[in-house]
Amino acid sequence: MSGIRNSRTRLVGAAATVVLAALSLTACNDGTGVTDEGASTGASTTGSAPADAPASDASSQGKPAAPGGSEPAANTAAPKGPASADKPVTCEGSTTKTVAAPLNRPVNHMLLTVTNTGSKPCFLYTYPAVRFGEAQAVPPVIEDSRPQAVVTLAPGESGYASVNLSAADGSGTNGRTEKSLTVYFHGRSGNESVGAGAHPALPAKGVYVDDSLEVTYWQQSMDDALTW
């Protein structure tokens, strides 16, 4: 019997110990102590994030991480303005090719063809200032041939003018044969020559001209140039 009582006494004592421990832990939750939350179930006790935690660098926000941990520098270069290659210039001898071709019809006429050989569009202002041989003055222009707009040549395009070399009825004066020709180009005002002149070849026998010599304005089409 005494053995049974001793066993019951030990059980009661052990139970009392458990109750006291529980009361002690409850007391810690009132802000006077640190609560024992038991053993960690996987969190690291060193303060580092778990191995499967998402990365906090730039790659987690859809951006590639830059070397050294810094983001790539933004491109601050100003956008380029429109290329100046398309801005028209004045047609002149160094950026064009001029061909002079005597015609059978109209009689005593010659056709000037100017082709833009440059990389930019160019304006053929007013009319060609032609000089045959050593002439000191250029012939007048036929005013009625003035086009409605300035002739504009894109690269590779051609403009035209005709030259009335001599009077068809032989009434012209101071007739002569010329074997060289220079064509000068006018600027916007029409009162000055710009750039280099052109030196189209003439037939070996030359061309006959007299004081009735005159030219048309530059035309966009050959047919318009030959009207005069």
Side-chain angles (χ1 to χ4, degrees):
M1 293 293 291
S2 60
I4 295 173
R5 282 196 296 270
N6 289 337
S7 297
R8 287 178 178 175
T9 300
R10 285 194 296 272
L11 290 173
V12 171
T17 300
V18 172
V19 172
L20 289 175
L23 290 174
S24 175
L25 292 175
T26 301
C28 291
N29 286 330
D30 63 2
T32 59
V34 178
T35 303
D36 183 4
E37 297 179 347
S40 170
T41 58
S44 172
T45 58
T46 62
S48 60
D52 58 351
S56 60
D57 59 11
S59 62
S60 66
Q61 301 178 17
K63 300 178 182 179
S70 60
E71 292 189 10
N75 183 6
T76 58
K80 294 182 179 180
S84 62
D86 295 335
K87 185 177 180 180
V89 297
T90 301
C91 298
E92 47 100 359
S94 68
T95 57
T96 59
K97 178 182 179 180
T98 302
V99 175
L103 303 173
N104 293 325
R105 295 192 179 201
V107 294
N108 300 344
H109 278 60
M110 182 172 67
L111 178 68
L112 295 178
T113 302
V114 173
T115 303
N116 183 359
T117 58
S119 60
K120 300 179 181 181
C122 70
F123 293 130
L124 272 176
Y125 289 112
T126 64
Y127 57 92
V130 299
R131 188 177 74 176
F132 286 91
E134 299 300 323
Q136 299 300 309
V138 298
V141 65
I142 303 172
E143 287 295 339
D144 288 345
S145 68
R146 183 191 294 268
Q148 294 183 349
V150 174
V151 174
T152 304
L153 304 182
E157 287 187 337
S158 299
Y160 309 89
S162 65
V163 182
N164 294 355
L165 298 172
S166 59
D169 60 3
S171 61
T173 60
N174 197 25
R176 61 204 182 271
T177 298
E178 298 288 1
K179 294 187 176 182
S180 66
L181 171 64
T182 302
V183 179
Y184 296 100
F185 297 85
H186 283 142
R188 182 187 296 271
S189 70
N191 295 322
E192 81 288 352
S193 63
V194 296
H199 303 277
L202 296 178
K205 66 179 182 178
V207 295
Y208 181 82
V209 300
D210 62 27
D211 288 347
S212 61
L213 185 67
E214 58 185 355
V215 300
T216 68
Y217 280 90
W218 290 114
Q219 309 292 330
Q220 200 78 52
S221 76
M222 182 186 302
D223 289 342
D224 289 341
L226 296 181
T227 300
W228 310 96

